[in-house]
Amino acid sequence: MSGVYARRIGVVVASAALAATGGLLTAPTAQAAMPTPVAASTARTYLSQLTVKAEGSSSGYSRDLFPHWITQSGACDTREVVLKRDGTNVTQNSSCTAVSGSWYSEYDGATWTAASDLDIDHMVPLAEAWRSGASSWTTAQRQSFANDLTRPQLIAVTDNVNQSKGDQDPAEWLPSRTAYRCTYARAWVHVKHYYDLTVDSAEKSALQSVLNGC
């Protein structure tokens, strides 16, 4: 695990500068700019390569073991970088706090104009990662996972929708906006494959079902 992980883990900070400078998107509608996940065909291949294993215990888990949000550039932490990246016409103050803008939540189709209405969702939740292999990682590895701007792991969505998702996997929760489920499954598998995390049998079946319809 550690050797493979060490080869595959990327430096996430470098993408922050790009996100900070390229975050103002002009489009017909506000649309999240999460990194594009692998194609459905690739996701199906990746899914077949994941180790199927019953989820581990949540014993010992704490969000504090996945340090976030870390500083990415200047006064900007990971949350603020994602808010600017995923929004339209986002204005930030000197502390890098988003004070205005518009955000479209891909999970439920809602549009918000106050950053306080948005959570930054971890596509693969931290507790889910813990039960799928991250319990054996170092704190530095968990920090990289929790602040990964390079993979499709972070996205700004309606706060109460994120809270309803909690730490559930796709066998237990999928976005209510069905048009986004294919992207969601592709992103989930992309992240789990990159980080060599396991899937349980129900989770794999649910992902296969979604991906087969993509």
Side-chain angles (χ1 to χ4, degrees):
M1 156 65 90
S2 60
V4 174
Y5 187 98
R7 290 196 301 273
R8 300 174 84 177
I9 187 67
V11 177
V12 301
V13 177
S15 65
L18 176 62
T21 57
L24 290 180
L25 304 176
T26 54
T29 57
Q31 191 167 10
M34 178 183 75
T36 303
V38 294
S41 57
T42 303
R44 287 191 288 268
T45 299
Y46 280 5
L47 182 59
S48 71
Q49 296 170 349
L50 294 177
T51 299
V52 179
K53 183 179 179 180
E55 281 193 355
S57 170
S58 293
S59 177
Y61 168 74
S62 167
R63 288 179 68 85
D64 293 340
L65 296 173
F66 293 78
H68 66 288
W69 304 113
I70 63 170
T71 299
Q72 293 288 346
S73 176
C76 301
D77 66 15
T78 308
R79 172 181 165 83
E80 298 301 341
V81 169
V82 176
L83 282 173
K84 183 166 185 178
R85 183 199 71 186
D86 287 6
T88 297
N89 298 325
V90 177
T91 301
Q92 296 171 310
N93 64 19
S94 59
S95 300
C96 204
T97 301
V99 294
S100 66
S102 176
W103 291 268
Y104 177 76
S105 172
E106 293 283 8
Y107 289 0
D108 58 331
T111 297
W112 304 97
T113 56
S116 58
D117 289 319
L118 283 300
D119 275 356
I120 307 305
D121 180 44
H122 289 96
M123 178 63 63
V124 175
L126 304 182
E128 163 70 21
W130 176 270
R131 296 190 297 266
S132 304
S135 60
S136 66
W137 294 352
T138 65
T139 299
Q141 288 169 332
R142 289 192 288 263
Q143 175 177 292
S144 293
F145 176 83
N147 296 275
D148 191 348
L149 294 165
T150 305
R151 263 60 56 182
Q153 165 66 343
L154 300 174
I155 185 171
V157 296
T158 304
D159 54 4
N160 64 333
V161 172
N162 179 52
Q163 290 152 26
S164 72
K165 171 183 171 178
D167 63 354
Q168 299 177 94
D169 69 32
E172 304 158 322
W173 188 94
L174 286 167
S176 61
R177 184 169 163 261
T178 55
Y180 196 68
R181 289 183 178 179
C182 180
T183 303
Y184 187 87
R186 287 159 50 208
W188 183 282
V189 173
H190 185 155
V191 172
K192 280 224 161 175
H193 185 268
Y194 181 83
Y195 286 98
D196 292 316
L197 294 170
T198 62
V199 289
D200 63 48
S201 57
E203 175 188 354
K204 182 175 183 178
S205 295
L207 288 164
Q208 283 176 325
S209 178
V210 175
L211 291 171
N212 286 341
C214 292

